[in-house]
């Protein structure tokens, strides 16, 4: 088996839109290969942040050598269509032999920080609270740094003060860079990091280049913070070769992602990909419509809809299909078990399609 490296380069990424049926692949892999991706956060690259990652992050106190060269190249050279999503995604990647009706099994082997900093943004009233940002602001971006404290990786951010965009404009006007937040400062807060990729998906069966923002049965912007190292993600295949892509790297995210983004920061990701024939997947898990996660402890079903209530209903139905078709329950007993023993959590509430996921203990159902 091989390791195939997919860098972030204007020729290997899309900015803001998903691949479409018939797009030329950026790379090709065989089943069993490992795909190594230099994923790139969009924060610090966006137009409202100056489209100047070198200046933007220097203004936050980051040294120039610690700012990614590919971030500057993407900001300067890649097309970002008006009205598209913010995310930079790597791909599409052809998985040789994958065909519609199959499923991909994607093992998340390794997620390593490429930088020691990231950004949390609230923009255009698109978080849970339409009244935010306050005071007529269109965007507020909060800088945070990654540090090792008491043997654990944490994110450190300030509780008050100018945001990163204000710091950038001050810097452009000749002001000094901001000082980096320190964990022993009483004006800072530190929180645990759990890196994951917000976007892993396959190409939908359409000739249209859809926005990266809403997720779908094809995966995409799922923003499920359980997609950490050691998790397997199953996705249905819709086009020949699957057209796999990934991006939207995070250092940390709370369920709901209420402000619009979480701590967005670039990661190097190793993903191993297998192809499962549709009938084999169905025999094991039932007739599912969309993404399924498998962690060491849980099977995690997913639901998506424009309304959160409908997303919850979708997730419950997917969970029932899993238990009835794949685990030998009848529908009444499956419904009762889910109510007594499964946790239904909000994946995110801000990406047009609201997301809910259910954690079902594998030990309970013999998986």
């Amino acid at each position: 088996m091989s390791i195939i490296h997919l860098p972030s380069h204007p020729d290997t990424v899309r900015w803001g839109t998903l691949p479409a049926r018939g797009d030329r692949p950026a790379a090709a892999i065989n089943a069993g290969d490992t795909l190594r991706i230099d994923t790139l956060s969009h924060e610090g690259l966006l137009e409202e942040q100056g489209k100047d990652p070198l200046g933007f992050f220097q203004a936050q106190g980051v040294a120039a050598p610690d700012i990614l060269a590919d971030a500057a190249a993407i900001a300067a050279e890649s097309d970002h269509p008006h009205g598209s999503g913010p995310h930079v995604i790597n791909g599409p990647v052809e998985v040789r032999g994958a065909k519609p009706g199959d499923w991909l099994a994607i093992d998340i082997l390794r997620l390593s920080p490429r930088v020691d900093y990231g950004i949390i943004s609230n923009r255009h009233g698109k978080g849970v609270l339409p009244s935010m940002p306050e005071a007529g602001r269109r965007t507020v971006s909060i800088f945070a740094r990654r540090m090792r404290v008491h043997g654990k990786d944490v994110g450190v951010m300030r509780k008050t003060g100018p945001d990163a965009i204000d710091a950038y404009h001050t810097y452009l006007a000749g002001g000094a860079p901001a000082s980096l937040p320190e964990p022993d400062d009483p004006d800072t807060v530190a929180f645990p990091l759990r890196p994951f990729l917000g976007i892993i998906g396959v190409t939908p069966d359409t000739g249209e280049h859809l926005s990266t923002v809403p997720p779908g049965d094809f995966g995409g912007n799922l923003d499920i913070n359980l997609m950490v190292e050691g998790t397997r993600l199953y996705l249905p295949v819709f086009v020949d070769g699957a057209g796999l892509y990934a991006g939207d790297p995070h250092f940390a995210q709370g369920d709901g992602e209420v402000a619009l983004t979480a701590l967005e920061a670039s990661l190097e990701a190793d993903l191993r990909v297998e192809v499962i024939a549709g009938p084999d997947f169905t025999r094991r898990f039932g007739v599912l419509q969309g993404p399924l996660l498998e962690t060491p402890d849980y099977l995690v079903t997913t639901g998506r809809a424009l309304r959160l209530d409908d997303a919850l209903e979708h997730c419950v139905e997917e969970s029932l299909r899993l238990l009835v078709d794949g685990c030998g329950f009848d529908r009444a007993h499956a419904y009762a078990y889910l109510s007594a023993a499964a946790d239904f959590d909000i994946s995110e509430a801000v990406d047009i399609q609201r997301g809910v996921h259910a954690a079902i203990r594998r030990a309970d159902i013999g998986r």
Side-chain angles (χ1 to χ4, degrees):
M1 303 301 176
S2 302
I3 297 177
I4 310 300
H5 181 219
L6 187 61
S8 285
H9 182 273
D11 293 336
T12 62
V13 304
R14 302 189 60 84
W15 192 356
T17 62
L18 300 179
R21 183 181 57 238
D23 280 1
R24 178 180 62 85
I29 62 174
N30 296 313
D33 285 345
T34 295
L35 185 63
R36 177 164 293 165
I37 311 176
D38 297 336
T39 67
L40 185 65
S41 173
H42 55 276
E43 294 293 332
L45 282 68
L46 295 172
E47 291 82 357
E48 57 212 341
Q49 296 166 333
K51 213 176 180 187
D52 172 23
L54 186 63
F56 185 82
F57 287 114
Q58 282 184 301
Q60 317 311 319
V62 178
D66 296 329
I67 300 168
L68 296 173
D70 51 5
I74 298 300
E77 302 173 33
S78 290
D79 180 39
H80 185 205
H82 178 72
S84 65
H87 313 99
V88 176
I89 60 170
N90 301 65
V93 174
E94 177 189 356
V95 181
R96 297 186 181 99
K99 60 186 183 300
D102 291 338
W103 285 70
L104 291 191
I106 304 155
D107 289 316
I108 303 169
L109 302 178
R110 184 178 64 89
L111 297 167
S112 298
R114 300 182 65 206
V115 294
D116 287 327
Y117 53 85
I119 295 289
I120 308 160
S121 284
N122 166 223
R123 56 176 63 93
H124 306 169
K126 292 182 178 180
V128 168
L129 300 180
S131 60
M132 299 288 285
E134 297 173 318
R137 295 289 299 269
R138 287 180 57 80
T139 301
V140 170
S141 294
I142 305 299
F143 179 84
R145 66 185 298 200
R146 167 181 170 263
M147 298 188 70
R148 197 80 174 163
V149 177
H150 303 307
K152 296 182 179 180
D153 276 355
V154 299
V156 183
M157 59 172 277
R158 291 186 178 85
K159 299 176 183 177
T160 62
D163 82 330
I165 296 176
D166 286 340
Y168 173 61
H169 289 304
T170 297
Y171 181 71
L172 290 182
S179 60
L180 294 171
E182 297 289 348
D184 55 357
D185 184 337
D187 188 41
T188 65
V189 59
F191 50 91
L193 299 187
R194 295 187 74 228
F196 76 100
L197 296 179
I199 291 179
I200 303 178
V202 294
T203 298
D205 187 17
T206 175
E208 180 184 359
H209 290 108
L210 304 174
S211 167
T212 57
V213 173
D217 291 350
F218 51 80
N221 192 24
L222 295 170
D223 275 334
I224 298 174
N225 62 17
L226 297 174
M227 289 167 46
V228 296
E229 289 181 356
T231 297
R232 168 175 277 200
L233 172 65
Y234 297 95
L235 294 173
V237 175
F238 297 96
V239 302
D240 287 338
L244 178 67
Y245 51 87
D248 189 28
H250 296 65
F251 277 180
Q253 179 190 296
D255 282 333
E257 199 182 23
V258 296
L260 183 63
T261 88
L263 180 49
E264 317 279 321
S266 301
L267 299 168
E268 183 181 77
D270 281 359
L271 309 177
R272 184 175 59 224
V273 182
E274 301 284 355
V275 179
I276 301 174
D280 292 339
F281 180 88
T282 299
R283 276 192 293 272
R284 184 176 179 193
F285 297 114
V287 182
L288 301 186
Q289 293 181 352
L292 174 73
L293 277 70
E294 189 174 27
T295 79
D297 298 317
Y298 299 100
L299 288 177
V300 182
T301 53
T302 61
R304 295 152 304 284
L306 294 176
R307 295 176 63 251
L308 195 55
D309 285 354
D310 294 336
L312 175 60
E313 183 176 327
H314 181 199
C315 188
V316 172
E317 287 287 359
E318 284 282 273
S319 302
L320 289 173
R321 281 188 280 269
L322 172 70
L323 295 178
V324 172
D325 298 340
C327 300
F329 286 70
D330 66 34
R331 190 170 169 89
H333 285 79
Y335 198 34
Y337 166 79
L338 292 173
S339 193
D343 290 325
F344 287 80
D345 295 318
I346 299 172
S347 312
E348 50 76 22
V350 294
D351 287 334
I352 301 176
Q353 293 272 7
R354 274 54 175 167
V356 173
H357 61 273
I360 301 169
R361 283 184 295 272
R362 295 174 63 181
D364 294 355
I365 57 175
R367 292 305 181 94

